[in-house]
Amino acid sequence: MLRFAVVAVIALGALVGIAATVFWSWWWLFLALPLVVLAAVGIWDLVQRKHSVLRNYPLIGHLRFLMEALRPELQQYFIERNFDGRPFDRDVRSIVYERAKGTDDAEAFGTERNVYDDGYEFFVHSMAPVPVPDEPPKIRVGGPGCTKPYDMALLNVSAMSFGSLSGNAVLALNQGARLGGFAHDTGEGGLSEYHLRGGGDVIWEIGTGYFGCRTHDGGFDQAEFADKAAHDSVKCVSLKLSQGAKPGIGGVLPGSKVNAEIARVRDVPQGRTVISPPYHRVFSTPRELVAFIARMREAAGGKPTGIKLCLSSRAQFLAVCKAMVAENVTPDFIVVDGAEGGTGAAPLEFADHIGTPLTEGLITVHNSLVGTGLREKIKLGASGKVATGADMVKRMLQGADYTNAARAMMFAVGCIQSQRCHTNTCPVGVTTQDPRRARALDVGDKTQRVHRFQQATVHSALQIMASMGVRHPDDLRPHQLRRRIAPHEVRSYAELYDWLEPGELLAEPPPDWAEDWRRADPDRFTV
């Protein structure tokens, strides 16, 4: 029946086309055009060999592709509930938008969440709350080898590269950072004019491609690094070992996207595909990694120098800790990225199944540093789906000194979670190098939104802490966060996880840590 209908459309289109030719009338042409187009599409559907559904269901089969294209929007706007969307639910997106716009973020009629579900978490408030501080505390970053310490805000812009983000988006983030007095991580895509023009404090991140301080053969150019790191806006430098979205894998920037501006920022040839390897060329052992950190800090003129990683095995990180102890060299900060982080486009298998989630990664890194007596020398940052004040308090309670946000900052500059970040077709100009699309992002307006979002979210975190009877993040403790693990059982984080004492690993490792500590070798990354 369907094929008969298609044949009928084709025949009718042909007849009307003939009539239009014979009578040469605008009326006949008006009738002929859509029928001829449908006839042509139907013929193509029947003879093409790529899509079986179109061969069996010509014309009407296109509805499947239309619905498939509309599915993400239909899901997001009409189907998902306020609290169960992914990657970020509507409640979280809404609170970021409201804070960025400076509108009321209060909700009426109570929570929509089931507080008796397994996994539900809540903070323990105090019967004697304390006043909210007038000014948010800052975290002094700078260990024994640092001569130019930096006061880090409790919430900062996490790593997002120019090239992945548009120039307008980067500029708005940087100017927002300047207004709010917080830091802006460049990501591994190089130090661009958009990171410097706004006057915000910059953390310059170096990845495996060494973009911005790269030799012709893809190695690390120390002289160029030292020259750029001396810029007044660069407050810290960071070596990226891995990221939550795709730990253990490199990246490919197609030559079609390497325009003159990106080529200049990244020190790569224009129009040529650029490959970032999954591994670093400057070190191959934990001891060499520690030595390179010292080399970077010296080249940066004593500015705080750190590393960013998504935790791999505990034994490998303990090997790095052993190397730090042996060489008496420590980074000034470590940013722990969770597997739930995700601004970088990644293969689905990596996004879903590779990398340690932030809770386990952060607690492990914190305990490793405590157990080796290094925690007091190193500040910890946490990144991975940090979007609200509650997220901040949770991560600081788990061991972080401060937090970083990426996708929440993208929401603040207008991101609508269309998830087209890697296609260069971002509908709001955030993740694109298309000048027409990027033009839609008004830098002045979005600068204010970034500032307001960060300010309101930090204030929210301080309000939560005050309700818990805590004046400073240093006073947060694991027993103040609880998780429901069964319908009739709730445990605190102090009970759910082991918490080491200072120097415990050096003295006598506890049984649960003993095997990993034994396997940790400062001269090789043990698999």
Side-chain angles (χ1 to χ4, degrees):
M1 179 65 71
L2 183 60
R3 285 179 177 271
F4 176 78
V6 172
V7 171
V9 168
I10 293 172
L12 184 60
L15 289 173
V16 175
I18 293 170
T21 303
V22 171
F23 294 103
W24 191 244
S25 161
W26 286 109
W27 173 250
W28 284 106
L29 287 174
F30 180 77
L31 287 176
L33 184 59
L35 288 172
V36 169
V37 170
L38 287 174
V41 172
I43 293 171
W44 172 253
D45 289 346
L46 289 169
V47 301
Q48 60 83 35
R49 299 179 180 275
K50 187 175 181 180
H51 300 290
S52 298
V53 69
L54 295 180
R55 287 170 67 85
N56 284 334
Y57 303 96
L59 293 181
I60 197 172
H62 287 279
L63 291 175
R64 174 191 180 273
F65 300 106
L66 174 63
M67 297 304 292
E68 192 175 58
L70 292 175
R71 182 181 180 276
E73 286 78 10
L74 293 173
Q75 177 78 18
Q76 182 177 134
Y77 293 115
F78 299 109
I79 298 175
E80 74 175 37
R81 294 176 295 180
N82 288 340
F83 54 86
D84 61 2
R86 296 289 186 272
F88 286 83
D89 62 46
R90 176 154 294 280
D91 278 344
V92 171
R93 299 197 304 271
S94 295
I95 200 171
V96 174
Y97 295 145
E98 288 162 358
R99 287 175 174 168
K101 295 174 184 177
T103 57
D104 185 14
D105 60 2
E107 294 292 331
F109 227 65
T111 181
E112 294 182 346
R113 300 175 187 271
N114 186 346
V115 298
Y116 297 100
D117 275 348
D118 290 355
Y120 176 77
E121 294 184 340
F122 59 96
F123 298 110
V124 180
H125 69 279
S126 172
M127 295 178 68
V130 298
V132 178
D134 294 331
E135 292 293 330
K138 291 290 187 80
I139 305 301
R140 176 61 60 94
V141 176
C146 174
T147 59
K148 299 177 181 177
Y150 176 69
D151 291 332
M152 191 77 70
L154 297 183
L155 178 63
N156 306 279
V157 181
S158 196
M160 293 179 285
S161 302
F162 168 63
S164 297
L165 299 191
S166 67
N168 281 354
V170 173
L171 185 57
L173 290 169
N174 190 261
Q175 291 183 164
R178 175 179 57 80
L179 291 177
F182 51 96
H184 179 193
D185 193 310
T186 66
E188 62 178 308
L191 187 65
S192 73
E193 65 165 307
Y194 305 104
H195 293 107
L196 301 176
R197 193 199 309 171
D201 293 344
V202 169
I203 301 170
W204 182 18
E205 181 178 287
I206 309 299
T208 58
Y210 309 116
F211 297 127
C213 52
R214 175 185 172 100
T215 61
H216 293 301
D217 63 349
F220 176 69
D221 187 329
Q222 183 164 321
E224 186 177 15
F225 170 79
D227 181 60
K228 292 182 177 179
H231 195 287
D232 288 342
S233 291
V234 177
K235 304 300 182 183
C236 308
V237 293
S238 176
L239 184 69
K240 192 202 86 169
L241 306 183
S242 57
Q243 68 185 85
K246 48 181 180 181
I249 190 174
V252 177
L253 185 65
S256 60
K257 292 187 177 182
V258 184
N259 59 29
E261 189 173 32
I262 291 177
R264 184 174 64 255
V265 170
R266 298 198 178 199
D267 284 343
V268 297
Q270 181 179 348
R272 188 178 302 174
T273 296
V274 180
I275 298 176
S276 300
Y279 52 84
H280 275 278
R281 296 171 60 174
V282 293
F283 68 87
S284 59
T285 69
R287 202 182 298 271
E288 290 175 356
L289 165 60
V290 170
F292 185 72
I293 292 169
R295 179 180 161 194
M296 277 184 68
R297 183 162 48 216
E298 182 180 2
K303 293 181 179 180
T305 302
I307 59 176
K308 170 189 170 182
L309 80 163
C310 178
L311 184 71
S312 54
S313 74
R314 186 166 67 178
Q316 286 195 346
F317 187 75
L318 288 174
V320 175
C321 292
K322 281 187 175 180
M324 293 179 194
V325 172
E327 299 298 319
N328 195 27
V329 172
T330 55
D332 300 294
F333 62 93
I334 297 174
V335 175
V336 183
D337 199 11
E340 58 267 52
T343 56
L348 181 64
E349 296 91 340
F350 274 78
D352 285 351
H353 303 293
I354 306 289
T356 305
L358 184 53
T359 291
E360 286 76 19
L362 179 58
I363 291 174
T364 298
V365 170
H366 170 75
N367 272 310
S368 299
L369 296 176
V370 170
T372 50
L374 300 171
R375 185 63 180 87
E376 295 301 318
K377 300 178 181 180
I378 302 171
K379 298 303 181 185
L380 281 186
S383 64
K385 293 192 77 172
V386 175
T388 68
D391 296 333
M392 292 176 60
V393 175
K394 175 180 176 178
R395 298 314 178 187
M396 292 187 291
L397 185 148
Q398 292 172 344
D401 295 294
Y402 63 92
T403 61
N404 295 336
R407 284 171 291 181
M409 292 291 181
M410 289 170 62
F411 291 145
V413 294
C415 170
I416 59 173
Q417 195 171 274
S418 66
Q419 296 180 267
R420 299 178 186 172
C421 309
H422 58 300
T423 66
N424 207 37
T425 59
C426 174
V428 291
V430 177
T431 59
T432 181
Q433 295 305 306
D434 182 336
R436 180 181 61 83
R437 292 178 179 270
R439 180 179 174 275
L441 194 155
D442 183 81
V443 174
D445 176 61
K446 305 309 182 188
T447 291
Q448 296 296 330
R449 291 192 181 198
V450 170
H451 176 213
R452 285 193 294 259
F453 163 68
Q454 193 271 355
Q455 189 176 47
T457 305
V458 171
H459 182 71
S460 171
L462 295 178
Q463 283 184 312
I464 294 171
M465 289 166 52
S467 76
M468 299 165 66
V470 171
R471 300 176 186 274
H472 192 279
D474 289 347
D475 299 324
L476 290 167
R477 296 293 180 266
H479 71 268
Q480 294 172 301
L481 178 59
R482 309 227 170 140
R483 180 193 295 171
R484 183 174 296 282
I485 61 173
H488 305 291
E489 189 173 3
V490 173
R491 296 282 185 89
S492 75
Y493 267 64
E495 299 169 290
L496 291 171
Y497 296 91
D498 294 327
W499 300 88
L500 301 186
E501 295 296 324
E504 186 174 355
L505 290 173
L506 300 176
E508 185 176 354
D512 287 348
W513 287 71
E515 177 59 21
D516 284 336
W517 181 252
R518 184 193 65 77
R519 292 174 56 235
D521 184 346
D523 292 307
R524 57 191 289 260
F525 286 105
T526 305
V527 177

